[in-house]
Amino acid sequence: MFVNINAGLANRARFVSQLGGLSQAEISPSEFKYHRGAEIFGEGEPAEYVYQVVEGAVRSYKLLSDGRRQIGAFHLAGDMFGLENDDAHRFTAEAIVDTTVRLVKRVSLAHVAENDCHDCPRSPQHDGE
């Protein structure tokens, strides 16, 4: 079970600052509370969000065919997780203890990364050559 705690401006700025100062105009994080043992996302589910642990701890793992868990990582306060290079999650993530997680839509981060690059070298494909 989780509880939505909409992130205020202070939380939004803190999340964005950890993303390297990307434009804050299009990034609007939300916070959710998960009880111990609650699944945050499952393996194979669409990777629509990027997550950051605010308080508590999260483990990401794969469930093996014999029922054992293969731990991918532990995520503690300040850690970001759920970053995928595909459209689906490769691991399941669950709260180890009562945990607060901040999340932001992946597409908003991609959009900002594409459009808010002030110091990026220009490539021919961006210059229209």
Side-chain angles (χ1 to χ4, degrees):
M1 175 166 165
F2 63 87
V3 177
N4 181 1
I5 306 170
N6 287 325
L9 292 177
N11 290 335
R12 180 179 178 196
R14 194 168 46 237
F15 183 82
V16 173
S17 71
Q18 293 188 2
L19 293 174
L22 294 174
S23 171
Q24 295 184 23
E26 298 179 44
I27 298 177
S28 185
S30 296
E31 287 187 3
F32 290 85
K33 286 189 180 271
Y34 294 89
H35 293 294
R36 178 180 186 244
E39 184 177 287
I40 298 168
F41 58 78
E43 181 179 352
E45 290 181 0
E48 297 177 5
Y49 296 93
V50 175
Y51 304 81
Q52 181 184 39
V53 179
V54 175
E55 182 178 39
V58 173
R59 78 176 139 232
S60 54
Y61 65 90
K62 285 188 171 282
L63 193 58
L64 303 176
S65 60
D66 62 3
R68 293 180 299 143
R69 285 187 243 181
Q70 180 180 6
I71 305 295
F74 290 100
H75 311 283
L76 305 175
D79 291 348
M80 295 184 73
F81 64 102
L83 296 161
E84 302 288 348
N85 55 356
D86 200 1
D87 292 334
H89 288 293
R90 295 175 297 134
F91 293 90
T92 296
E94 76 176 10
I96 299 171
V97 296
D98 288 352
T99 300
T100 303
V101 175
R102 189 174 296 131
L103 55 109
V104 67
K105 281 203 171 248
R106 180 178 165 186
V107 293
S108 65
L109 289 179
H111 181 74
V112 169
E114 290 172 1
N115 297 307
D116 194 29
C117 188
H118 300 294
D119 298 321
C120 296
R122 300 297 290 180
S123 67
Q125 62 193 15
H126 291 106
D127 290 334
E129 295 177 13

